[in-house]
Amino acid sequence: MPTVGVIGLGSMGMGIALSALRAGLPVRGFDVAPDRVEAFVAAGGQGGSLDAAGDLDIAVLVTVTAAQARDVLFGAGGLAAALPAGALVIACPTMSPDDARDLAVRAGEAGLLYLDAPISGGAAKATEGALTVMASGAGAAFAAAEPVLDAVAETVFRLGDAPGAAAAMKVVNQHLAGIHIASAAEAVVFGITQGIDPAKTLEVISRCAGTSWMFENRVPHIVAGDYAPLSAVDIFVKDLGIVLEAAGAAGFSPALAETAAAAFRAAQAEGLGREDDAAVAKVFARQAGVALPGAG
């Protein structure tokens, strides 16, 4: 049974680590925040330091950015130098296809297998072991990853043997996700301008053709006036930035993504970057001169 290390114990990483642990895998958790490691150890896992990770067979990177993943692997005291030859790196961050390909090449040069494996489903699905994984990489990487994928994923899309293909699909997903969150928030504020209580908008639109997964998931945050970050505004500033960069490189101008990105950047500029991404509604509410639930 492979020994698994999960690097990054945020809402998604903690769920992945707990799901792997529940599946019977020996799991070690790593995070820059000691309290997260302590919480994982209290749940029955193990902690440790990256420079003493020579016993890991699989390293699952659940960092926020490609730069963080690169630093974890190849920075001072990086994981790549500690892992045994033939160990597998499963990289889950949303990143550009170019970044995924670069990390895969460098991992290969270090004698490691690499699976490009961005994830979708949110913290609840991570904890349930029911994520959707978009994955691409060599057959040997898929074979080595099977125990982890079985533990954490409900659906695994195999998108080819070349790293970067899965990253590209995740960028398409984030294109839609960012637009859907911004449009849901805008629609709630529009409803307020028409005299409709946000709770009623949620109740009705959730049963109509205008709904979306993001509408049904994020609008309850707005209705409750609860912006504790499950996925922060800062994340979608980053992710839609990746969308726009990739689109620009392809000579494509995604007008809807550009509009959504501008709304998230405005929320960030208003000091809302660390609030839940549903807080983009506050930008629209300010523009419309209306009050959201819990404001005041």
Side-chain angles (χ1 to χ4, degrees):
M1 188 172 295
T3 299
V4 178
V6 177
I7 297 88
L9 295 173
S11 58
M12 296 291 280
M14 182 66 81
I16 286 172
L18 292 173
S19 292
L21 191 66
R22 191 170 58 248
L25 296 171
V27 185
R28 295 173 62 191
F30 305 84
D31 199 282
V32 294
D35 60 320
R36 294 177 184 172
V37 178
E38 290 168 5
F40 180 60
V41 171
Q46 303 174 50
S49 60
L50 292 180
D51 58 1
D55 61 336
L56 296 182
D57 300 298
I58 301 173
V60 185
L61 305 186
V62 201
T63 59
V64 175
T65 67
Q68 290 170 345
R70 187 175 292 109
D71 187 58
V72 164
L73 285 172
F74 306 112
L79 193 57
L83 290 172
L88 169 67
V89 174
I90 299 176
C92 299
T94 299
M95 66 179 80
S96 72
D98 284 345
D99 280 330
R101 286 188 282 266
D102 176 66
L103 287 174
V105 168
R106 293 188 64 181
E109 291 171 347
L112 305 173
L113 296 172
Y114 184 95
L115 192 68
D116 177 17
I119 52 180
S120 183
K125 291 288 188 181
T127 302
E128 294 168 13
L131 289 169
T132 295
V133 178
M134 295 150 269
S136 60
F142 272 106
E146 189 170 332
V148 170
L149 296 178
D150 287 347
V152 307
E154 181 176 62
T155 305
V156 178
F157 289 103
R158 296 183 64 139
L159 299 171
D161 59 5
M169 185 63 76
K170 179 61 186 294
V171 173
V172 171
N173 183 77
Q174 296 311 92
H175 171 278
L176 287 165
I179 290 170
H180 288 178
I181 294 168
S183 65
E186 183 182 68
V188 169
V189 171
F190 175 50
I192 295 172
T193 72
Q194 303 304 302
I196 304 172
D197 184 89
K200 186 58 67 175
T201 297
L202 174 61
E203 178 188 356
V204 173
I205 299 302
S206 292
R207 299 297 178 268
C208 294
T211 195
S212 68
W213 190 94
M214 284 299 191
F215 181 95
E216 294 182 32
N217 186 266
R218 298 311 205 267
V219 174
H221 303 180
I222 300 171
V223 170
D226 181 3
Y227 299 97
L230 298 179
S231 174
V233 165
D234 285 342
I235 296 293
F236 272 93
V237 172
K238 172 188 74 76
D239 286 3
L240 286 172
I242 293 171
V243 170
L244 297 180
E245 181 181 356
F252 174 59
S253 180
L256 297 179
E258 289 169 352
T259 299
F264 283 107
R265 288 195 298 268
Q268 188 181 62
E270 291 182 16
L272 306 175
R274 295 191 177 184
E275 293 193 16
D276 189 83
D277 50 38
V280 71
K282 296 180 181 182
V283 173
F284 299 124
R286 177 183 54 76
Q287 292 169 350
V290 301
L292 293 170

